[in-house]
Amino acid sequence: MKAVVFEKLGGPEVMKIADVPKPEVKPGFVLIKVRAAGINFADTLFRQGKYAMQPKLPDTPGLEAAGEIEAVGAGVANLKPGQRVAALGSRMYAEYALAPAAQVIPIPNSISFEHAAAFPVQVLTAWHILHTAHQTGPGQTVLVHSAAGGVGIVAVQIAKAAGARVIGTVSSASKAALVKEYGADDVINYAASDFAAEANRLTGGRGVDLILDAVGATTMDKGLTCLAPFGHLILYGRSGGPPEPLNVFKLFEKSIKVSGFVLYTVAAVPDVMRRGIEESFKLIAEGKVKLLVGKSFPLAQAAEAHKFMESRQSTGKLVLIP
């Protein structure tokens, strides 16, 4: 089968298309014929050896995909060949990929494979940050960084559906228009103004109740200055680099808190994972969440796709098509 492979750490150019053995299904897993593989910023870190999971060279990136089940392993009772699914897994920039059965999600026929490839990481991360790591509801103000990105554009919609006021931050006027279109009440262009000062101005000096931060180095400390009393900042990525170590005494003045989030913690708790899946599909069915695929690339153009993601020009979800 064809797969994207890198034999050394480095920039996008280290990734090449290659012929590799098709995986064999094993107990507790399913083999998926990949129709669309999701691209995540974590994949760029993995390629550089900077992600939590270290590559075993030669290796293949890819944390999520959508397609049809080709085969099920021993002990898998609730899934069957031919089912349309999305999944969390590894080495998914390929024509076939393995995924643990517990991380395989049947998808309705109304959702395309490309849109389904945006579901496991983007939608579930946004939903669980807003409803598991925090209890978002009416009367709260939520600030979403990178609001035009894959998680951000979904988080804006889920927070609005929960009754919150939503402020998005973006890097350009075109992204601001897109985020407004997807439901944000206010949008701050952080390239043109200080997002923390603007957030404080927009809230009459009170600050925001929740910040969703996947940037890190350039946003976290400043974010603490625009949290409301008892406010909460959730760090779930570091696209701008790892932040400086936190001085916990900065939290005292307004009794604020900072926490971290990674979806794999949720995936290890089946009941919590299932609730997020059910509630997210309900929001999609009700038209309250629309999945945005910004651009699709052929599998052989994985390097170009990573360059595009790292250029910060992309919006919504980027996918690879085998």
Side-chain angles (χ1 to χ4, degrees), residues 136-209:
T136 304
Q140 295 184 26
T141 300
V142 178
L143 187 146
V144 180
H145 283 306
S146 307
V151 174
I153 203 83
V154 176
V156 166
Q157 298 172 78
I158 294 175
K160 281 298 294 180
R165 176 187 181 186
V166 181
I167 302 172
T169 76
V170 297
S171 60
S172 69
S174 61
K175 288 183 177 181
L178 178 71
V179 172
K180 273 275 193 180
E181 181 187 331
Y182 276 76
D185 297 285
D186 300 282
V187 185
I188 300 166
N189 182 341
Y190 65 79
S193 59
D194 183 306
F195 80 81
E198 275 295 287
N200 280 322
R201 183 187 69 79
L202 289 167
T203 56
R206 177 180 175 271
V208 301
D209 300 287

Side-chain angles (χ1 to χ4, degrees), residues 238-262:
R238 50 169 193 171
S239 64
E244 291 295 316
L246 176 66
N247 176 358
V248 295
F249 293 104
K250 287 185 177 180
L251 310 180
F252 282 31
E253 184 182 353
K254 293 186 289 182
S255 301
I256 57 179
K257 62 182 177 180
V258 174
S259 67
F261 178 86
V262 64

Side-chain angles (χ1 to χ4, degrees), residues 292-316:
L292 171 62
V293 174
K295 195 168 183 179
S296 299
F297 295 82
L299 188 65
Q301 292 182 12
E304 287 78 3
H306 275 213
K307 287 174 188 173
F308 186 58
M309 173 169 274
E310 292 176 327
S311 74
R312 307 300 171 95
Q313 296 176 54
S314 65
T315 55

Side-chain angles (χ1 to χ4, degrees), residues 254-277:
K254 293 186 289 182
S255 301
I256 57 179
K257 62 182 177 180
V258 174
S259 67
F261 178 86
V262 64
L263 186 60
Y264 288 102
T265 309
V266 172
V269 188
D271 288 348
V272 178
M273 184 74 163
R274 192 178 308 113
R275 178 171 173 249
I277 292 167

